[in-house]
Amino acid sequence: MKEIENNEVAFLSRKLLDLNKQLIDSEKAKTRFLSLIANELNNPMTALLGLIPHLASENSEKREKILELAEQEALHLDFHIQNLVAAAEIENGEIKMSYSLIDPEELIDEVLKGLKYWMKEKNIQILIENNLKQKIVTDPQKLHLIIKNLLANACAYGNADSTVKIAINCNGSKLNIDVNNQGEAPKVEFKPQIFTRFAQQAGGSVHGLGIGLSIVRGLCELLEGEIDYDTDGESVTFTVTLPLDTKLPDSEAYGSNEFLFESFNDSIEL
Amino acid sequence: MIQGCSTFIHVGQIHVDTSPSAISTVLGSCVAVCLYDTALGLGGMNHYLLPFWNGNGLQSPKFGNIAIPKLIEAMLDAGSSINRMEAKIFGGASMNIGASEAMMIGQKNILVAREILREYRIFIVAEDVGGQNGRKIQLNLERGKVQLKYTTRSDIGNGG
């Protein structure tokens, strides 16, 4: 009996120690996040505010240049805000799913438009290999943000002058979307943490807010899919696996009609 | 029969609505907490998979210790007050007989609901928890009653 009690005390102490460590880490993460927010939101905004007055310039060549810079900053800002809104919605449980029939390749093209300056900056080429010749049923906004985060990461962490490969494959009843980039991969021993918040590698270069992959995982789960990554030393591939639905049900209430029309006759009332 | 629309919630969702709507879900080892305010005809439901947020990933309401306070907050935001809220809890079944781990999840999910509601001083006026059957529930906001039906295993799939 005594031994059991001792074991229990040892177990609880370890647990307490663990929780204490988590608390300290979480305080650190909060502080870091706030300073990141300050930079990542403030810098593009300051740039925008600085650029806008110059748009009054007469010189049309100069104006075009400024417009381009302003668009670049606005796209950065928009991306961060989209991610923050998504994280807040997931954490609040108020995310609404809205399914429709879409062509994944068109959606990827749309994402690429929003990332054109990221690619230009590092001279990154995009290669899309689409082996799926049909449309799929999914929530386009969610998938858009998933792919946008993966591609933005591929641009941020990928080597300059390299090619980012996107592959869309159908694997039985699953849809796989692979995003592959040349460059240093997250370390394998870091894998359990990579999809959690604020998990940027210590010592590595810091990009963004450190919430992208946690949002990707959250959104993949909402779509009843998964996210994982693999590396071969020179490149890293992130794979999104989603259920492959190709038919939109007649009912508007997709995913929510499981028993709307079933009666609750003979049910228990509490 | 419900007059308004019925909203179906999945794992990790929280929904608050008013009479005459209804909120429904299907539960296995997951637990749903239903809160109801008779005076306002206002009610809400959550649906969580695991008792505690493990400190990783987003703090989503897939976890009881996140989902229950969030539901209470949502009720307060909608104009209710703690002393008018009453709670009903459902789910927490042991879906795989023999798998002790799975059994514990259902039990822990129930435990966390009771603990947190007690902390907030919200009374549990009805419950149907544990056991080995999945449940379909529908919270009718016109009357503040919950209709419950046990499911066969095939209805649940791998759902919560």
Side-chain angles (χ1 to χ4, degrees):
Chain A
M1 198 61 210
K2 193 78 186 161
E3 198 184 325
I4 295 174
E5 269 173 37
N6 281 341
N7 282 343
E8 186 72 12
V9 168
F11 172 77
L12 287 175
S13 305
R14 266 202 308 277
K15 193 99 193 162
L16 192 64
L17 216 64
D18 235 29
L19 283 174
N20 242 317
K21 198 177 150 289
Q22 270 182 29
L23 191 66
I24 293 166
D25 286 350
S26 123
E27 278 303 305
K28 273 192 207 144
K30 188 189 79 183
T31 312
R32 222 167 71 93
F33 184 64
L34 287 176
S35 71
L36 278 175
I37 286 236
N39 283 325
E40 295 284 338
L41 296 186
N42 206 14
N43 294 350
M45 199 59 189
T46 311
L48 270 177
L49 290 174
L51 285 166
I52 287 168
H54 295 288
L55 283 175
S57 156
E58 294 290 316
N59 182 337
S60 73
E61 202 175 301
K62 192 177 164 200
R63 210 158 66 186
E64 209 161 288
K65 192 97 209 290
I66 292 169
L67 263 175
E68 198 169 282
L69 283 171
E71 191 189 13
Q72 184 175 352
E73 297 299 340
L75 285 171
H76 263 103
L77 206 51
D78 178 52
F79 180 46
H80 288 314
I81 292 172
Q82 279 179 25
N83 265 345
L84 287 170
V85 168
E89 281 180 352
I90 295 171
E91 294 206 345
N92 278 325
E94 49 188 34
I95 212 151
K96 294 264 187 307
M97 305 304 286
S98 161
Y99 289 84
S100 57
L101 197 61
I102 59 129
D103 177 351
E105 198 172 339
E106 270 173 33
L107 189 118
I108 291 171
D109 285 339
E110 196 62 36
V111 172
L112 289 174
K113 271 184 214 157
L115 292 173
K116 58 184 175 183
Y117 295 108
W118 273 259
M119 299 179 322
K120 205 166 140 190
E121 211 170 283
K122 291 178 83 173
N123 189 27
I124 284 175
Q125 306 297 317
I126 301 284
L127 190 75
I128 303 179
E129 185 194 328
N130 184 2
N131 296 317
L132 183 89
K133 296 297 171 215
Q134 54 190 341
K135 292 187 170 187
I136 56 159
V137 173
T138 189
D139 183 318
Q141 265 184 320
K142 311 285 182 293
L143 188 58
H144 185 103
L145 197 54
I146 290 171
I147 293 174
K148 191 163 187 179
N149 270 298
L150 293 180
L151 285 176
N153 279 356
C155 291
Y157 296 98
N159 293 339
D161 309 315
S162 65
T163 303
V164 170
K165 293 180 205 137
I166 307 168
I168 309 169
N169 285 302
C170 151
N171 176 13
S173 62
K174 303 280 184 202
L175 173 76
N176 288 338
I177 301 176
D178 297 329
V179 175
N180 168 281
N181 71 272
Q182 303 291 318
E184 208 180 319
K187 292 196 178 65
V188 177
E189 62 264 31
F190 212 63
K191 200 160 185 166
Q193 284 101 51
I194 198 87
F195 295 106
T196 65
R197 298 184 299 183
F198 320 125
Q200 293 182 340
Q201 274 185 79
S205 52
V206 172
H207 298 278
L209 297 172
I211 56 173
L213 285 178
S214 69
I215 292 167
V216 167
R217 184 170 75 171
L219 292 175
C220 282
E221 282 171 2
L222 283 169
L223 293 172
E224 287 160 40
E226 283 165 21
I227 171 82
D228 199 1
Y229 77 92
D230 208 355
T231 169
D232 61 7
E234 282 151 18
S235 73
V236 56
T237 307
F238 279 85
T239 303
V240 175
T241 308
L242 297 175
L244 182 66
D245 283 334
T246 52
K247 278 206 185 70
L248 203 61
D250 298 334
S251 161
E252 292 248 312
Y254 179 70
S256 62
N257 56 355
E258 269 117 297
F259 65 105
L260 278 190
F261 304 107
E262 187 184 311
S263 78
F264 268 86
N265 291 344
D266 315 320
S267 63
I268 306 164
E269 187 171 286
L270 286 160
Chain B
M1 200 58 220
I2 40 156
Q3 305 300 312
C5 64
S6 179
T7 305
F8 184 89
I9 63 165
H10 293 270
V11 177
Q13 288 186 310
I14 293 174
H15 188 73
V16 171
D17 217 329
T18 50
S19 171
S21 303
I23 311 169
S24 51
T25 198
V26 178
L27 301 159
S29 62
C30 284
V31 163
V33 173
C34 304
L35 293 179
Y36 189 68
D37 180 330
T38 315
L40 299 179
L42 177 77
M45 188 193 288
N46 63 16
H47 177 157
Y48 59 88
L49 180 72
L50 296 167
F52 298 110
W53 181 53
N54 55 9
N56 292 334
L58 296 173
Q59 266 190 6
S60 81
K62 274 194 316 199
F63 307 99
N65 66 336
I66 309 292
I68 300 167
K70 285 239 162 94
L71 173 65
I72 295 170
E73 249 171 65
M75 289 287 288
L76 292 174
D77 286 348
S80 183
S81 67
I82 294 282
N83 55 15
R84 282 208 307 266
M85 280 184 220
E86 46 186 44
K88 295 178 185 178
I89 61 175
F90 301 93
S94 336
M95 298 306 288
N96 303 309
I97 308 154
S100 62
E101 184 64 15
M103 181 185 79
M104 290 311 285
I105 285 178
Q107 289 302 319
K108 285 178 193 160
N109 279 337
I110 300 165
L111 199 82
V112 74
R114 291 203 179 117
E115 275 304 308
I116 294 178
L117 289 169
R118 193 168 53 113
E119 223 169 88
Y120 277 90
R121 297 175 199 284
I122 296 173
F123 287 108
I124 300 174
V125 296
E127 62 173 42
D128 191 273
V129 294
Q132 280 164 8
N133 282 90
R135 296 168 173 86
K136 298 174 176 188
I137 59 165
Q138 184 174 54
L139 170 61
N140 179 335
L141 297 172
E142 199 168 13
R143 302 186 301 124
K145 294 288 183 192
V146 174
Q147 304 294 130
L148 180 146
K149 252 184 141 170
Y150 293 109
T151 62
T152 51
R153 193 134 310 166
S154 60
D155 288 339
I156 287 275
N158 53 10

